[in-house]
Amino acid sequence: MYNLAILRQPAGIGDIFYALKIGHTIRAEKVLWPVKDIYYEAIAKHIETIRDRNIEFCKVSDFLKNGDPEEVDFWTSEIKKVKCYGDNKIFIPLQFSDTLPEYNQSGVMKAKYKMVNCLDSDWSLYFNFKRDKKREDDLFKHYGLKDGDEYIVVSENYGTPPDYQTYKLPSYDDNDKRKIVKIDFVEGYNVFDFCKVFENAQEIHMLETCFCYILEKLDLKSTVFNLYNRHVDSINHRHVINIPRKIKWNFRLKNEN
């Protein structure tokens, strides 16, 4: 049992959701998890950790400013392999696992679990979050929706603002009589606030983003689920195809009509 484990997986937010099992099961009395500043508020507010697991999320900026000098040095020097140090402490750079040949044969995401010799098959059991129904209702109204409306959800953005990209998906009909709701970055709201919008949609068409993980925990009405790979040079969904546990996605390619 370690006294402290530091996890280096500050982004993307979907990677953090997926890796929560690692934070919950690593044999350490305390887990310190610095996350990108833009994610901190949403994670601190919504993520629920298992009782008796001491996982402390913090902003990367605060960690770099106030953290232990040796640990900050590990972070800034971008150590890429697990390192034990000090008085029974461990530094786990999950962020770099897929850059190491001993872990990356199974793809970007599974490499994180390979690094700590852990199975990812039940990752979703460790990803639980609190919902803010008022904010969800407000965002639902922001899109001009009311209960009982029939609509299609389309999510074409990926990346972290302001450095994000948009890709036009070809799988939905712009002439469909149903309302088309395009997920966008709405000031004052976070990714969890979109739960009601997704739950009540008749169809969902999206790129691979953090919503893939959130949707696994929702009671969805949709009967159509199209998921597109977001990497231009990718010919399949090898890195995410084993992650969904509930949703039966139609895995599609970006250049597929």
Side-chain angles (χ1 to χ4, degrees):
M1 174 73 74
Y2 295 100
N3 293 332
L4 174 69
I6 298 178
L7 298 188
R8 175 162 183 156
Q9 184 64 66
I13 196 167
D15 296 56
I16 294 169
F17 297 163
Y18 169 69
L20 279 167
K21 178 185 176 180
I22 296 172
H24 279 103
T25 57
I26 197 75
R27 292 179 58 81
E29 293 181 1
K30 176 182 177 180
V31 175
L32 181 61
W33 196 329
V35 298
K36 208 164 185 179
D37 288 22
I38 194 171
Y39 298 147
Y40 176 75
E41 183 178 347
I43 289 173
K45 175 182 177 181
H46 291 276
I47 291 298
E48 295 182 317
T49 55
I50 295 174
R51 183 182 297 178
D52 299 328
R53 286 301 297 166
N54 186 8
I55 300 177
E56 179 184 326
F57 294 102
C58 67
K59 295 179 181 179
V60 168
S61 61
D62 289 340
F63 172 75
L64 295 177
K65 181 179 179 180
N66 304 314
D68 179 278
E70 183 178 28
E71 293 158 5
V72 170
D73 185 58
F74 289 166
W75 192 282
T76 55
S77 61
E78 297 191 347
I79 290 175
K80 295 188 176 182
K81 291 194 175 185
V82 174
K83 183 176 180 62
C84 297
Y85 69 100
D87 183 17
N88 210 17
K89 301 178 182 179
I90 187 169
F91 182 75
I92 308 174
L94 298 174
Q95 184 180 19
F96 301 121
S97 58
D98 65 295
T99 67
L100 303 175
E102 60 264 45
Y103 305 130
N104 69 4
Q105 299 305 307
S106 299
V108 173
M109 301 304 284
K110 288 184 79 69
K112 303 178 195 305
Y113 279 80
K114 294 280 188 181
M115 175 174 268
V116 293
N117 193 28
C118 183
L119 297 176
D120 70 337
S121 55
D122 59 349
W123 69 268
S124 63
L125 296 180
Y126 299 84
F127 173 43
N128 297 292
F129 54 86
K130 295 176 287 188
R131 295 174 61 171
D132 187 329
K133 294 299 184 70
K134 183 182 184 306
R135 287 168 61 89
E136 290 183 28
D137 286 339
D138 290 345
L139 192 56
F140 196 73
K141 293 175 184 176
H142 168 83
Y143 281 101
L145 297 171
K146 59 183 184 296
D147 292 340
D149 281 356
E150 293 188 355
Y151 61 94
I152 298 168
V153 163
V154 178
S155 181
E156 299 176 315
N157 299 324
Y158 65 95
T160 302
D163 301 317
Y164 69 93
Q165 299 184 52
T166 301
Y167 187 86
K168 175 77 168 62
L169 299 184
S171 64
Y172 63 93
D173 184 359
D174 281 317
N175 296 315
D176 195 299
K177 292 182 180 180
R178 292 171 294 181
K179 182 179 180 66
I180 295 175
V181 175
K182 292 198 174 184
I183 302 298
D184 207 344
F185 300 104
V186 182
E187 187 175 355
Y189 295 90
N190 62 56
V191 293
F192 295 103
D193 296 327
F194 286 90
C195 286
K196 183 174 180 177
V197 173
F198 277 107
E199 270 191 328
N200 292 280
Q202 276 66 51
E203 297 183 11
I204 297 175
H205 306 259
M206 58 184 288
L207 291 170
E208 300 162 354
T209 66
C210 67
F211 290 122
C212 295
Y213 305 90
I214 293 176
L215 267 56
E216 285 287 305
K217 311 297 288 191
L218 303 181
D219 183 15
L220 301 169
K221 294 181 179 178
S222 177
T223 57
V224 176
F225 299 94
N226 286 319
L227 184 66
Y228 285 81
N229 64 329
R230 68 189 193 188
H231 303 288
V232 174
D233 59 348
S234 178
I235 60 173
N236 56 45
H237 294 75
R238 181 173 70 101
H239 56 298
V240 298
I241 200 166
N242 293 318
I243 291 176
R245 297 297 161 198
K246 182 175 74 172
I247 299 175
K248 305 300 182 184
W249 289 102
N250 299 311
F251 290 100
R252 306 182 67 168
L253 305 181
K254 284 175 69 173
N255 59 355
E256 179 182 351
N257 293 320

